[in-house]
Amino acid sequence: MINGKFCCTFSFDPDRTSTYIGLMTDRPHILVVDDHREIRDLVGRFLKQHGMRVSTAPDGKSMQQILCEHRIDLIVLDLMLPGEDGLTLCRNLRAESSISVIMLTAMGEETDRIVGLEMGADDYIAKPFNPRELLARIKAVLRRAKSLPEQERLPEEALVGFDRWTFNLATRQLVREDGVIVPLSTGEFNLLITFIHRPGHILNRDQLIDLTQGRDSTPFDRSIDTQVSRLRKKVEADPKDPQIIKTVWGGGYVFTPTVVKT
C-alpha cells in the first residue's frame, strides 16, 4: 500500500514499503492471499479503511516472499490457489510459525472446513462473504492471540532440561535421565513444546487447543484432555499423581518444572 493505494500484484518497492510500514507499526498487518485480484482489492481496501495494514499475494510463492520481508500478524488464505493450495500452505506454515490464519474459500462443505481447521487454521469463512464478518473474525482471532501468555523465546535448535528430562527441540527427542529415548506423537510434541515455552502459566483448554492445533475449541471438546493424559503417561513418574503437568481445577493446566536451557 503506497500513498493510500493498494497494489494487488506482487510488484512493489521494498524501500518505500518499509518506510510506510515503519510509520504504522501499531496497526495489525494482514496478508491477503487470493488468486482473484478483485477479492484482494475489495478486502484490502476494506481492511485499510478500518485501520489495518494490508499486503496481498496471488499465490503461495508470493506469500512466502512477503513473509520473509515483513512481520505479518494474520493471513487471510484462500483454499483454492494456483500451485500449492491453501491447505498445503497452511500446514507448512503451521509447522514453522504461529501466525494466525483464516481460511477463505468458495467451498461450503463441512469437510473442507474441518480439514482446514485440522491443518492449523484459526478460523474459516466461506465465499461469498460479508466484509464486515471477515473483519469481525480477524479482530477476534487477533484478540485471542494477544490474550495468550507471552512465550519464552527459545531457538529451534535449543536443548532444554526439566525435571528428569532433556528435550531436543531440533530432533524432537525426549530423553530420560537414564538415557532412554521416549517417542512423542505430533500432538504430544506440540503440547509439550507449548508447555515448555510457557512454564508456570495456567493455560485453559481453549488456549491449549488454539496453541497446539491452531483452531477454536468447540462445545464439549475434550481432545486436549486426552493429549494431556497421554503426555503425562510418558513424562510423569506417577501419571495418577502428576507433578509436572498439574491440573488447575476450573482453570486448565500448568507446567510446573523450571525449564533450563542446556
Side-chain angles (χ1 to χ4, degrees):
M1 184 173 65
I2 301 172
N3 295 329
K5 297 181 180 180
F6 286 87
C7 302
C8 294
T9 65
F10 189 62
S11 297
F12 64 96
D13 183 334
D15 294 332
R16 293 180 66 188
T17 303
S18 299
T19 300
Y20 183 79
I21 289 176
L23 299 175
M24 302 179 63
T25 53
D26 59 327
R27 300 184 182 185
H29 193 167
I30 312 301
L31 172 56
V32 179
V33 185
D34 196 299
D35 60 331
H36 292 284
R37 182 180 182 128
E38 294 81 4
I39 292 178
R40 299 198 306 271
D41 282 345
L42 170 65
V43 174
R45 286 196 302 268
F46 186 80
L47 296 180
K48 183 263 180 180
Q49 291 169 0
H50 287 81
M52 297 183 179
R53 292 176 285 141
V54 179
S55 292
T56 64
D59 53 36
K61 183 177 180 180
S62 299
M63 181 191 83
Q64 292 295 340
Q65 186 173 345
I66 291 175
L67 289 174
C68 289
E69 297 174 346
H70 302 286
R71 182 188 181 280
I72 300 298
D73 297 295
L74 181 145
I75 301 174
V76 178
L77 180 61
D78 188 28
L79 178 62
M80 302 300 293
L81 291 170
E84 290 186 301
D85 61 30
L87 292 177
T88 301
L89 292 171
C90 185
R91 182 181 63 241
N92 295 340
L93 182 70
R94 189 54 70 231
E96 59 187 29
S97 171
S98 59
I99 297 175
S100 300
V101 176
I102 294 179
M103 294 296 291
L104 183 64
T105 177
M107 298 181 179
E109 296 294 331
E110 183 75 6
T111 300
D112 299 310
R113 181 181 69 84
I114 293 173
V115 171
L117 295 176
E118 288 178 344
M119 290 297 100
D122 295 87
D123 204 347
Y124 173 103
I125 186 169
K127 301 175 183 176
F129 60 92
N130 186 317
R132 290 188 178 276
E133 180 182 359
L134 176 60
L135 176 64
R137 288 175 181 266
I138 288 173
K139 289 182 176 179
V141 171
L142 290 175
R143 184 165 55 247
R144 186 170 68 247
K146 186 177 181 180
S147 70
L148 294 172
E150 183 69 19
Q151 73 174 38
E152 295 185 10
R153 302 296 179 183
L154 293 173
E156 294 182 359
E157 69 277 8
L159 191 66
V160 299
F162 66 91
D163 195 68
R164 58 198 180 103
W165 297 95
T166 300
F167 189 37
N168 189 316
L169 277 63
T171 63
R172 298 191 174 194
Q173 283 192 333
L174 180 64
V175 184
R176 203 166 57 200
E177 59 186 352
D178 59 2
V180 173
I181 298 175
V182 177
L184 297 175
S185 68
T186 298
E188 292 162 354
F189 170 82
N190 290 339
L191 184 60
L192 181 57
I193 201 69
T194 296
F195 280 131
I196 283 176
H197 279 149
R198 299 167 178 83
H201 289 288
I202 297 174
L203 299 172
N204 61 41
R205 290 185 179 89
D206 290 345
Q207 291 174 322
L208 284 171
I209 289 174
D210 186 52
L211 287 165
T212 60
Q213 302 175 30
R215 64 177 177 87
D216 284 334
S217 62
T218 56
F220 311 111
D221 189 339
R222 291 295 181 266
S223 61
I224 204 67
D225 297 319
T226 301
Q227 290 285 4
V228 168
S229 178
R230 290 174 179 171
L231 185 58
R232 279 173 168 168
K233 290 178 181 179
K234 294 187 175 182
V235 302
E236 298 282 0
D238 181 3
K240 295 182 179 180
D241 182 27
Q243 299 300 310
I244 295 176
I245 305 172
K246 290 191 174 183
T247 300
V248 179
W249 297 112
Y253 299 97
V254 60
F255 191 75
T256 61
T258 299
V259 176
V260 180
K261 182 179 176 182
T262 61

